Amino acid sequence: MASEELARKLQRRLDTEQGSAAPAAAPTEEEVPAKCSEQPETPESERAATAGADDNNAAASSELNAKLTRRLDINDGIAAPKRSKVFNPYTEFKEFSRKQIKDMEAMFKRFDSGKDGFIDLMELKLMMEKLGAPQTHLGLKNMIKEVDEDFDGKLSYREFLLIFHKAAAGELEEESGLMALARLSEIDVSTEGVMGAKDFFEAKMKALSVGSKFELEILEEKEERKKQEQDKKERRAAFKELQSTFCS
């Protein structure tokens, strides 16, 4: 090895002296620094970030595609547009009184065991069993499908009210599960209570417009609360009087 290195140096000096020195020989494998042969590696964090970005782009593309497809379905009349979750039942379902709507709301909340604002398939199953009209799995799915406007497979509060709206309008089949629900719920969805009024208060309601009907019901509720407060005060006064009699 030493003799070969010495021979190369002598040959190079000879070439220099003759003015025809050849380009320096390529460095041997030993002379090449180890770091020159090493290729830089991509950090693990950078590879993970790149992969995450690709997944996010794919998810965004899929979501956009789903939205565009739904919009086309809505335009073609295949799907119904989603309604806002916030709505006023008293103005949208004017055929019902405040008491009827409150009864429906109480029933909805009673069977919304998950407290998520929806009645899903299992909760509807429990409801129908409690009402004494159990349904098959397919029957329950058909019940939801009949009023499921946003196609999410469960009943929102508004969709629940639609059941009674359809029942009052005669839009449900007599033997359907939804009709059984409306009948067995103990909520009177007929409008004859207002139109066929017998006492003075109902007679006044009959003469009023739909808008003022709710104002009158609110006034009645306030009067009822005042009466309850007055009764409470009178009972408290009577108790104090009786107490003072025993103490004297």
Side-chain angles (χ1 to χ4, degrees):
M1 179 66 70
S3 59
E4 292 179 1
E5 181 68 19
L6 179 61
R8 281 199 298 272
K9 290 181 178 180
L10 290 174
Q11 183 63 40
R12 192 177 303 144
R13 181 176 296 178
L14 180 62
D15 291 341
T16 301
E17 291 176 354
Q18 294 177 354
S20 59
T28 62
E29 184 176 353
E30 291 81 5
E31 294 173 341
V32 178
K35 64 179 181 180
C36 294
S37 62
E38 295 179 356
Q39 297 295 329
E41 294 185 1
T42 304
E44 184 67 27
S45 60
E46 185 176 340
R47 288 201 300 270
T50 303
D54 292 341
D55 292 340
N56 291 337
N57 291 337
S61 177
S62 176
E63 183 179 358
L64 178 60
N65 183 56
K67 288 183 177 180
L68 291 175
T69 302
R70 176 169 176 78
R71 174 53 56 188
L72 290 174
D73 290 342
I74 292 174
N75 293 339
D76 294 339
I78 301 175
K82 289 186 177 180
R83 293 179 176 267
S84 173
K85 293 182 178 180
V86 179
F87 76 102
N88 189 334
Y90 302 109
T91 57
E92 187 167 346
F93 296 92
K94 296 180 179 179
E95 67 270 31
F96 300 131
S97 67
R98 287 176 60 84
K99 182 180 183 306
Q100 288 173 327
I101 291 179
K102 285 185 176 181
D103 289 343
M104 296 174 200
E105 182 181 9
M107 181 179 182
F108 180 85
K109 289 181 177 180
R110 185 165 69 251
F111 288 100
D112 177 20
S113 57
K115 306 303 178 186
D116 58 354
F118 296 93
I119 291 180
D120 59 25
L121 190 73
M122 293 307 297
E123 290 167 340
L124 180 61
K125 178 177 182 293
L126 178 62
M127 178 191 292
M128 298 307 294
E129 289 175 352
K130 291 285 187 181
L131 293 175
Q135 303 289 311
T136 64
H137 184 78
L138 181 59
L140 293 168
K141 292 181 69 175
N142 288 335
M143 288 175 65
I144 293 176
K145 184 178 180 181
E146 193 164 349
V147 291
D148 188 13
E149 293 188 325
D150 53 7
F151 307 103
D152 60 355
K154 51 190 177 182
L155 297 176
S156 65
Y157 175 46
R158 184 185 181 280
E159 291 166 345
F160 185 71
L161 294 181
L162 277 178
I163 298 173
F164 298 94
H165 168 79
K166 288 177 175 287
E171 298 177 4
L172 298 178
E173 295 182 5
E174 288 296 320
E175 302 302 323
S176 68
L178 292 183
M179 180 58 81
L181 189 158
R183 283 177 174 170
L184 297 171
S185 64
E186 298 182 356
I187 299 175
D188 182 13
V189 296
S190 69
T191 57
E192 296 177 358
V194 175
M195 307 309 291
K198 294 181 180 180
D199 58 25
F200 175 75
F201 177 72
E202 290 180 341
K204 288 179 64 177
M205 285 182 59
K206 179 181 178 181
L208 295 173
S209 63
V210 172
S212 60
K213 179 184 69 174
F214 293 113
E215 295 178 4
L216 192 57
E217 288 183 338
I218 293 173
L219 181 60
E220 183 194 30
E221 291 175 0
K222 289 181 178 179
E223 291 296 332
E224 181 64 26
R225 284 197 294 269
K226 286 182 180 179
K227 183 180 178 182
Q228 291 176 356
E229 288 294 328
Q230 184 63 31
D231 291 343
K232 189 182 295 184
K233 288 180 180 179
E234 291 177 358
R235 288 196 301 270
R236 191 178 296 117
F239 175 76
K240 287 183 178 180
E241 183 179 354
L242 181 63
Q243 188 178 35
S244 62
T245 301
F246 279 103
C247 293
S248 58

